[in-house]
Each structure stands twice: as structure tokens, then as C-alpha cells.
Amino acid sequence: AELAFNGALTIDRARGAPAPEIARDLYRLGTLEFSAGNAELALDMLRQAAERLVDANAARTTQYASIQHDIGVMLIQRGDLAAAREILEEVRVVRTSLLGDMHPDLAGTLKELAGIARQQRADADAERLYLQALAINEQMLGNDHPETANNLNSLAVFYRGLGNDELALTFAQRALAGATKAYGSAHPTVGLMTVNVGSMQQYRQEL
């Protein structure tokens, strides 16, 4: 895949392809490098892709928002929360403007912002953002969609971190129910959620 993507980038550059096509090639290579564990190279390629779009006055596009979203996620994983938050706030504005305030892509950005807020101990902001993301996905994707189950699980982890075991268990059980319907009972994600619910229930019984 890397050889093919590099070949496509070389060809597109040689023929003077439009910025969105060059950005697409760079993005594909960046995500491939990230999957291979080359995080810094991946980040550099995604930044090049975003810069191409900015130079072409294409920064208010869904393509740009997707690239910037992934840059933000990479920065979170690197621990650069301030930079990640700045980028993801920009993505939130762009996605809201282009897609409206009830789109699953926006929910994904809100969830990442919630995670940043949680790490920064801004618990009220984190809760608001997690719940907003959940509301979007419940309405747009349904209760049995993997993304909705993921949102529910994030809230379970969040409330457990706050010591609110009752709410944590409620959201964990809802996440397990949704994931079971989405993936089937034999899926590893369902197995992990089952263990988490069991440990929460046992902890409450021991209190």
C-alpha cells in the first residue's frame, strides 16, 4: 500500500494535480505511517496535507476538517493537549458550519474534546461534551451502533473516575447492551465490556 500511495503522490505532483488530490495522497501516506508506528512522520504528512488545503483556500471543507481532526487525535496521543484542543476547537467550528450540529463527525470531535477536558480536570466541560456527543449519535446512528456504544463506555469510564459508581454502572451496562447488538456476543470489545460491568457490580456488592 505504501508503494502505491507514494506512486500516486509522485504522479499527482508531476501532473500538477489540484491541492485536494495532493492532500488526499499525503493523508493516505500519513495514516499508513501512523498504523506502522511512525507517529512523527505521520503527523508531518498530515500537516503538509492541511497546509496544501490552506494554501488553496480550501480550509473550510470537510476534507480539511477530517485531516485536522486526525492531527488533533495524534497530538492527544503525544500528550500535547493544548495544541490538540486548539485544533479540535477549529474542527468543531468548521464541522458545525458545514454539517450542522447533529452530525456523527461532529460527535467524534466533541468526544475528543471531552477527553482532553477530562485529562485537564475540567470535569463539567468533559461531561457536557460527552453527553452532547452521545445525544448526536443516539439520534443519528441509533442505540445499537458501535459509535454510540463507544460514547456510552467513555461516559462509564468518566463517571467511574469521578467516583460516581451508580452512573458508571448504568452507562457501562448500556454500552454493553449496544455493543452486543452491534458486534455480537463473541466480539473482543463485548468481552472487555462484560468484564468491566462484572467488576463494577462486584465492587458495589462489596461496599
Side-chain angles (χ1 to χ4, degrees), residues 23-170:
R24 177 202 61 203
D25 295 339
L26 287 165
Y27 177 80
R28 287 174 175 173
L29 280 167
T31 54
L32 192 65
E33 292 294 347
F34 187 76
S35 298
N38 302 320
E40 290 303 315
L41 180 57
L43 185 58
D44 180 63
M45 287 182 167
L46 264 63
R47 282 172 166 161
Q48 289 182 53
E51 288 168 5
R52 285 275 182 167
L53 294 175
V54 170
D55 291 343
N57 295 318
R60 304 289 293 186
T61 61
T62 56
Q63 183 185 17
Y64 177 79
S66 295
I67 293 169
Q68 287 288 86
H69 175 91
D70 286 356
I71 289 173
V73 172
M74 290 181 186
L75 289 172
I76 291 172
Q77 295 184 8
R78 197 170 72 170
D80 194 347
L81 300 183
R85 180 177 180 180
E86 181 178 355
I87 287 173
L88 290 170
E89 287 288 1
E90 177 195 14
V91 173
R92 171 162 63 171
V93 171
V94 173
R95 283 184 162 169
T96 301
S97 173
L98 295 174
L99 304 173
D101 57 7
M102 291 300 291
H103 195 281
D105 285 352
L106 175 62
T109 300
L110 294 172
K111 180 175 174 292
E112 297 299 340
L113 285 167
I116 293 173
R118 181 170 65 87
Q119 290 188 64
Q120 295 178 330
R121 303 296 183 185
D123 294 333
D125 287 341
E127 181 179 36
R128 174 178 53 81
L129 290 163
Y130 275 134
L131 290 172
Q132 188 177 350
L134 174 62
I136 292 171
N137 282 337
E138 282 183 326
Q139 181 169 330
M140 304 306 296
L141 301 177
N143 294 327
D144 302 334
H145 192 278
E147 283 300 320
T148 305
N150 185 273
N151 289 151
L152 290 164
N153 191 63
S154 294
L155 277 159
V157 172
F158 171 70
Y159 285 122
R160 194 172 193 184
L162 294 181
N164 191 332
D165 297 320
E166 183 175 353
L167 266 180
L169 179 58
T170 297

